[in-house]
Amino acid sequence: MNFLKKHTKLQLFILLLAVFIIPINSYAYSKYIVPGGETIGIEVNSDGVLVVGFYKVGNEYIGKEAGFEVGDLITEINDVEVNSIEQMAEIVKDEAMSNELDVTIERNGKSSDLSLKMVCSEDDVCKTGLYVKDQITGVGTLTYIDPNSKIFGALGHEIIEKTTGEKFEIKDGEIFEANVTGTTRSDGGTPGEKNATYDRNTVFGDIFYNKESGIFGNYQYSFDTDKLVEVANPEDIELGAAKMLTVLEGSTINEYEINILNIDDSSDTKNILFEITDEELLSKTGGVIQGMSGSPILQNNKIIGAVTHVIVNEPKKGYGIFITTMLKEGEKRANE
């Protein structure tokens, strides 16, 4: 009996010890990171070819009649994998004599096959009735670089394909140098935007994730480790004064004053409600504009989040995401 009691106590001790040595946080992001603020060009390539619309061939929408829908992702044609419009065009040309394609698509996470009858002319020019897309290019803001893992985060929200309104499923992509040439003001319920030119020869990094909390990838360019800023946890954030880092002209990053109005830890991405108070910024942009997405938000010498959304009818106001949410998502790749 005594042995059983002693054995039970020993088991309990071992169990408690095992519980205590389980790591509480498996995320490996750094406590100090490099804040961004740079305007970047963004180019992402789809994992397949996306159907974004239809056109008439003769008097018929042959793509619709074949069963295609906007948002379908073409992954194979005649059992050949398709990753680009160029590949698709080559297959279509090769199959001109048959006038018919067996197309594999993904829709709502499920794969299915459709038969598409093309209309081909005597010189083997074929029409499919499908408008397709395999790439998106745009402008955003770099949020951070982790100096240890070299992982970067940007935008603070996912890239959406405008026609479908859905997240763009990417195969890969790049971020590269961009220079702001001017801004269009937010006005009358219409969000403004940054206007920029690109330099695709100066690539900063490759993209591996397009997630709800931003785009993430490996940073390959040089960066200044003398400008490290401490990462704030959500409970460190206070109502009141803060700063936003962004570019309004050329490539110069400036600080602009904002005021944090509310903090919401129940939302996935709209965690920080803020209002722009900086008169210079308001005079140039009228408030939050497209292209500011990803602009870092700092408070008390810590990075707390990134700009994500504008409130269209009140462009002085916008939302931000917690920086820790972005860092955790980015570091998932390092743990895979």
Side-chain angles (χ1 to χ4, degrees), residues 83-118:
N83 290 310
S84 68
I85 293 174
E86 184 179 1
Q87 285 179 315
M88 181 175 175
E90 288 177 0
I91 296 172
V92 168
K93 183 178 179 180
D94 290 342
E95 299 297 329
M97 295 295 293
S98 68
N99 283 22
E100 190 167 348
L101 302 174
D102 294 323
V103 184
T104 301
I105 64 163
E106 286 187 8
R107 182 187 300 164
N108 300 324
K110 296 181 179 179
S111 180
S112 60
D113 296 317
L114 297 173
S115 180
L116 176 63
K117 293 183 178 180
M118 304 181 293

Side-chain angles (χ1 to χ4, degrees), residues 9 14 43-44 59 93 137 158 171 240 247 276 281:
K9 289 179 181 179
I14 293 172
E43 184 175 274
V44 287
N59 292 319
K93 183 178 179 180
T137 303
E158 62 205 346
K171 177 181 63 175
V247 175
I276 294 175
L281 181 58

Side-chain angles (χ1 to χ4, degrees), residues 8 14 37 62 80 102 112 157-159 170 172 188-189 204 216 231 233 260 287 306 316 333:
T8 301
I14 293 172
I62 61 175
V80 178
D102 294 323
S112 60
H157 60 70
E158 62 205 346
I159 295 175
I170 72 166
D172 53 34
F204 293 149
F216 303 90
V231 173
N233 292 314
I260 296 176
K316 291 182 181 180
R333 179 63 174 258

Side-chain angles (χ1 to χ4, degrees), residues 47-306:
D47 190 13
V49 175
L50 186 68
V51 177
V52 295
F54 306 98
Y55 62 90
K56 279 186 177 181
V57 179
N59 292 319
E60 299 179 0
Y61 287 103
I62 61 175
K64 272 188 177 181
E65 291 178 2
F68 288 89
E69 296 180 5
V70 170
D72 286 347
L73 192 68
I74 298 171
T75 57
E76 291 184 7
I77 299 177
N78 292 355
D79 297 322
V80 178
E81 185 176 345
V82 175
N83 290 310
S84 68
I85 293 174
E86 184 179 1
Q87 285 179 315
M88 181 175 175
E90 288 177 0
I91 296 172
V92 168
K93 183 178 179 180
D94 290 342
E95 299 297 329
M97 295 295 293
S98 68
N99 283 22
E100 190 167 348
L101 302 174
D102 294 323
V103 184
T104 301
I105 64 163
E106 286 187 8
R107 182 187 300 164
N108 300 324
K110 296 181 179 179
S111 180
S112 60
D113 296 317
L114 297 173
S115 180
L116 176 63
K117 293 183 178 180
M118 304 181 293
V119 175
C120 300
S121 63
E122 292 181 359
D123 55 357
D124 293 340
V125 175
C126 297
K127 296 182 178 181
T128 64
L130 303 174
Y131 287 122
V132 293
K133 178 183 286 189
D134 63 359
Q135 190 178 83
I136 290 179
T137 303
V139 172
T141 302
L142 181 69
T143 304
Y144 73 87
I145 307 164
D146 188 314
N148 294 323
S149 66
K150 306 297 189 298
I151 290 173
F152 73 83
L155 291 187
H157 60 70
E158 62 205 346
I159 295 175
I160 298 290
E161 201 289 310
K162 289 184 179 180
T163 307
T164 64
E166 300 293 332
K167 185 179 78 169
F168 195 63
E169 299 297 337
I170 72 166
K171 177 181 63 175
D172 53 34
E174 291 180 334
I175 61 170
F176 40 85
E177 185 177 22
N179 283 281
V180 179
T181 57
T183 57
T184 303
R185 286 174 55 85
S186 290
D187 186 44
T190 303
E193 62 180 342
K194 292 184 182 183
N195 305 310
T197 58
Y198 307 132
D199 180 4
R200 285 185 171 84
N201 293 319
T202 307
V203 176
F204 293 149
D206 64 275
I207 301 169
F208 53 64
Y209 276 159
N210 178 29
K211 298 291 186 179
E212 186 181 14
S213 55
I215 59 171
F216 303 90
N218 297 305
Y219 200 82
Q220 301 163 349
Y221 205 68
S222 60
F223 57 87
D224 191 352
T225 56
D226 293 334
K227 296 182 178 180
L228 297 179
V229 174
E230 186 176 356
V231 173
N233 292 314
E235 57 268 24
D236 298 329
I237 305 171
E238 304 171 352
L239 301 183
K243 295 178 180 179
M244 176 178 69
L245 304 182
T246 200
V247 175
L248 294 185
E249 185 175 353
S251 59
T252 303
I253 303 170
N254 287 315
E255 293 184 351
Y256 297 100
E257 301 294 330
I258 65 172
N259 187 48
I260 296 176
L261 303 173
N262 189 48
I263 302 163
D264 182 3
D265 59 7
S266 65
S267 173
D268 292 331
T269 58
K270 295 181 178 179
N271 307 122
I272 303 169
L273 174 63
F274 67 89
E275 181 176 24
I276 294 175
T277 56
D278 194 287
E279 292 300 327
E280 180 186 355
L281 181 58
L282 290 173
S283 67
K284 291 182 178 179
T285 68
V288 181
I289 59 175
Q290 296 177 76
M292 282 184 181
S293 294
S295 297
I297 301 173
L298 279 66
Q299 185 182 64
N300 297 326
N301 297 317
K302 296 181 180 180
I303 182 168
I304 65 172

